[in-house]
Amino acid sequence: LFDFKIILGKNGVPVAENFRLEQSTIADTIQAGQVRVRTLYLSVDPYMRCRMNEDTGSDYLLPWQLSEVADGGGIGVVEESKHDNLAKGDFVTSFNWPWQTVAILDGSLLQKLVPQLVNGRLSYFLGAAGITGLTALLGIKEKGHVAAGANQTMVVSGAAGACGSLAGQIGRLEGCSRVVGIAGTDEKCSILVQEMGFDAAINYKKGDVAEQLRELCPGGVDVYFDNVGGDISDTVISQMNQDSHIILCGQISQYNKDVPYPPPLPPDIEKIQKERNITRERFLVLNYMDKQEASILQLCQWIQEGKLKV
């Protein structure tokens, strides 16, 4: 059994020395209600940076403990079961999956997966058909106020990432007439336009982002799916329309800094936000779990139909 342990959490950029890999043994027998699983996939996500701080800044996120096994979204296969609803060979997932090759887990905390829903691509249950896809879909539905035929322009930052790439496609499927992505390389921008169906993409490391936005969004921005915060978001917000909407998904440019979540806007940008009545409400996908099942089925249907590319 290999497990992955965290040994430091503080402001600053995480480095390899903050982690260690250990080899250890696991119990030979499992108790009633437990299963032994072999790990197949782990999801490594930006929010995990917050778990490296003693105070994560979120009620729903517990900090990783020093010298304890790290955990997060994971998928595995059951090797032995003493739980009534799980059998050997079942594929299962959890949001608190330990970063170890083999684990003994409480079967009642695991969700059984149906591989056929994602054409056998199990890892999709951690991405497009998992919490990532849910965040993109529910963020747009709950906070984006997208309406078919309303001629809305959506801008997505962090657009080539797991969530951003889905958000742009879902924005189009939900009715946006124009979708523009912001990413960090020409290759990412090319993939967004040629494969993911974005109308245009901006490489923020090249040229004047504000100028490019004005050219690509001549009617202004109606919906902004914000994954990054910081200077990029300030630039986008300054070009947003009256009564427009920010979907506050993430602020990854700020996660290595000691700031509250969501980080406050600079005074001049906050003034624009208030004067134009731009909504910027904290969005937490876990608050919408009553809509999880129907939303996952919608995402799986789009994947099967080829309307959502991963």
Side-chain angles (χ1 to χ4, degrees), residues 154-161 164-165 179-185 188-189 192 198 200-205 209-210 212-213 216-217 221 224-225 227-228 231-233 235-237:
M154 173 188 275
V155 171
V156 183
S157 57
S165 60
V179 179
V180 176
I182 302 174
T185 70
K188 288 178 181 179
C189 291
L192 289 173
F198 282 64
I202 295 167
N203 179 348
Y204 70 87
K205 294 178 182 175
V209 174
Q212 293 176 78
L213 261 181
L216 295 172
C217 308
V221 178
Y224 173 39
F225 199 100
N227 283 307
V228 304
D231 294 343
I232 295 293
S233 291
T235 302
V236 176
I237 293 168

Side-chain angles (χ1 to χ4, degrees), residues 127 132-133 158 160-167:
T132 316
C163 195
S165 60
L166 298 169

Side-chain angles (χ1 to χ4, degrees), residues 7-272:
I7 59 170
L8 180 70
K10 201 168 172 64
N11 289 308
V13 179
V15 293
E17 288 74 30
N18 298 151
F19 300 88
R20 72 172 182 261
L21 185 65
E22 289 183 352
Q23 188 167 5
S24 52
T25 55
I26 199 166
D28 291 333
T29 57
I30 60 173
Q31 306 299 316
Q34 292 183 327
V35 293
R36 188 176 78 242
V37 293
R38 179 164 295 279
T39 301
L40 299 175
Y41 299 100
L42 296 171
S43 185
V44 184
D45 307 284
Y47 81 85
M48 290 174 166
R49 176 62 189 84
C50 306
R51 298 192 68 188
M52 293 181 75
N53 293 336
E54 196 169 2
D55 178 4
T56 65
S58 300
D59 298 337
Y60 69 97
L61 275 186
L62 294 174
W64 278 333
Q65 298 299 310
L66 298 185
S67 291
E68 293 296 320
V69 181
D71 68 326
I75 289 173
V77 60
V78 175
E79 292 191 327
E80 184 186 355
S81 175
K82 286 191 178 175
H83 187 277
D84 292 344
N85 298 329
L86 296 172
K88 183 178 179 180
D90 283 349
F91 296 107
V92 289
T93 186
S94 165
F95 194 62
N96 300 108
W97 195 282
W99 288 12
Q100 52 193 62
T101 51
V102 179
I104 293 173
L105 303 174
D106 179 346
S108 65
L109 302 179
L110 299 173
Q111 188 178 350
K112 194 170 167 180
L113 297 173
V114 182
Q116 295 89 327
L117 286 175
V118 287
N119 302 327
R121 301 293 291 273
L122 273 174
S123 65
Y124 284 14
F125 284 118
L126 291 181
I131 205 90
T132 316
L134 280 175
T135 302
L137 177 57
L138 290 170
I140 288 167
K141 279 186 168 293
E142 300 296 330
K143 299 293 185 184
H145 302 272
V146 172
N151 197 31
Q152 291 162 300
T153 294
M154 173 188 275
V155 171
V156 183
S157 57
C163 195
S165 60
L166 298 169
Q169 297 176 78
I170 292 168
R172 171 61 48 74
L173 289 166
E174 286 294 306
C176 284
S177 59
R178 185 161 185 76
V179 179
V180 176
I182 302 174
T185 70
D186 287 343
E187 183 188 11
K188 288 178 181 179
C189 291
S190 169
I191 288 169
L192 289 173
V193 174
Q194 293 175 17
E195 296 180 31
M196 303 287 181
F198 282 64
D199 293 287
I202 295 167
N203 179 348
Y204 70 87
K205 294 178 182 175
K206 281 187 175 177
D208 186 322
V209 174
E211 193 178 305
Q212 293 176 78
L213 261 181
R214 274 191 291 274
E215 283 176 20
L216 295 172
C217 308
V221 178
D222 302 296
V223 185
Y224 173 39
F225 199 100
D226 184 5
N227 283 307
V228 304
D231 294 343
I232 295 293
S233 291
D234 296 345
T235 302
V236 176
I237 293 168
S238 67
Q239 296 190 32
M240 293 185 75
N241 293 325
Q242 192 72 28
D243 302 322
S244 54
H245 303 283
I246 298 168
I247 301 163
L248 196 60
C249 176
Q251 301 282 281
I252 57 178
S253 72
Q254 307 298 302
Y255 287 170
N256 291 322
K257 301 173 186 175
D258 185 11
V259 292
Y261 189 88
L265 297 170
D268 56 327
I269 303 299
E270 187 178 20
K271 187 167 181 273
I272 290 171

